[in-house]
Amino acid sequence: MIRRRPADRPSADDLLTELGRLTASALEQAELQRARVELAEALQRELLPAALPQQPGLRAAARYAPARHGLSVGGDWYDGFRLPDGSVAFSLGDVQGHDVEAAAIMGQVRVGLRAVASTAADPGEVLSRANDLLISMDSRRFATCSFLRYDPATGDLSHARAGHVPPVWADADGRWGQCADDDGGPPLGVLPGQTYPVSHHPLTGTGVVALVTDGVVEGPQFPIEAGLDRVAAVLRERVADEPDVLAAELLEVADLTGHTDDAAVLVLRHDD
């Protein structure tokens, strides 16, 4: 007796054909995702500065890591530039959202901060004007931000923040690290006419200042306070490292928090 294969049961050839189709589709999707990630990373690189200003007594370094899922486009940024009065300014922040629009607005905010800072040296005034500028753009997106200005003539580092996590400091011997108790204002682009308190920190001796976005210090099961404590611990342990090495080490804190957001780190090292 010859057994006949049921009509609804696929043959080995059918299974191989279907497997080949699925494999080709998977490879196509993988290639598409890889192309998207490469495009996103290229876009992000174009929107971030190629180099940060270096000043006698103050060296800067930064690192950025794209998001781990999706299109890998985010709104995190860092920046540094010289001002007309001879001081240097640094900013670090995060635009709401994880898409191409967030990255585009990030570029606009970064350029806007540069433009405003050229005529307003006070960090609080810079953030206040940038806030009104973002509201006038009617982007329906907000941004958190820290803005710092370093005056080499006085050694003063002035700082203001808009809804952003505070900076973390450590001294030369690494015996302590702490989050600055600076008062901050609301995020940029939410309420018009806001003021942003300014704190002043004389940079004496040797030490480091670190700014991070929430993608570094906050995760699904990891509170932001714990992340900032971890950043402080890294500064205590590795305060003698060069700024670029320390920035890379701080970026690894994001692996501990389990955060899938994009992340940015800015490190300033001051020496007498």
Side-chain angles (χ1 to χ4, degrees):
M1 177 182 292
I2 299 177
R3 289 188 176 182
R4 296 187 178 275
R5 178 176 52 84
D8 58 349
R9 179 178 297 177
S11 67
D13 289 342
D14 293 335
L15 290 174
L16 289 174
T17 300
E18 180 64 12
L19 178 60
R21 188 189 67 79
L22 292 175
T23 301
S25 177
L27 289 173
E28 182 180 350
Q29 291 298 319
E31 286 296 317
L32 178 61
Q33 178 63 15
R34 185 174 66 83
R36 287 175 173 173
V37 170
E38 291 177 352
L39 175 61
E41 292 179 348
L43 173 63
Q44 199 78 28
R45 283 194 300 270
E46 289 300 316
L47 292 173
L48 294 175
L52 295 173
Q54 308 297 320
Q55 189 81 16
L58 188 74
R59 291 176 292 154
R63 288 290 185 276
Y64 171 83
R68 301 176 186 176
H69 299 299
L71 192 56
S72 296
V73 173
D76 285 17
W77 85 87
Y78 61 83
D79 198 10
F81 50 94
R82 299 187 183 278
L83 296 172
D85 64 359
S87 61
V88 289
F90 299 92
S91 69
L92 179 137
D94 181 7
V95 172
Q96 174 196 18
H98 305 94
D99 51 27
V100 174
E101 183 181 359
I105 294 175
M106 175 270 284
Q108 293 173 332
V109 171
R110 177 181 158 236
V111 172
L113 286 168
R114 284 191 173 220
V116 170
S118 66
T119 59
D122 179 78
E125 186 177 355
V126 170
L127 291 186
S128 180
R129 292 189 185 182
N131 175 61
D132 291 340
L133 176 63
L134 185 57
I135 289 175
S136 71
M137 292 165 53
D138 194 27
S139 67
R140 298 182 296 278
R141 301 283 184 110
F142 66 83
T144 66
C145 175
S146 280
F147 190 88
L148 299 90
R149 174 181 175 270
Y150 173 68
D151 185 349
T154 63
D156 177 67
L157 183 71
S158 52
H159 168 250
R161 58 191 178 100
H164 203 73
V165 296
V168 184
W169 309 72
D171 64 2
D173 57 21
R175 292 179 183 175
W176 57 268
Q178 69 178 25
C179 299
D181 295 326
D182 303 341
D183 292 327
L188 305 178
V190 177
L191 298 170
Q194 294 299 299
T195 59
Y196 296 87
V198 179
S199 61
H200 295 269
H201 305 277
L203 298 186
T204 59
T206 300
V208 292
V209 182
L211 293 176
V212 299
T213 58
D214 61 357
V216 177
V217 294
E218 187 178 24
Q221 305 297 326
F222 206 94
I224 192 169
E225 294 80 8
L228 287 171
D229 287 344
R230 181 55 189 159
V231 168
V234 172
L235 293 184
R236 285 197 306 268
E237 297 164 3
R238 310 302 297 269
V239 68
D241 287 355
E242 289 298 306
D244 57 339
V245 174
L246 188 52
E249 291 167 346
L250 290 178
L251 197 58
E252 292 179 359
V253 174
D255 295 330
L256 176 66
T257 65
H259 207 295
T260 58
D261 197 358
D262 55 336
V265 171
L266 175 65
V267 174
L268 306 178
R269 181 179 180 85
H270 57 90
D271 302 280
D272 281 343

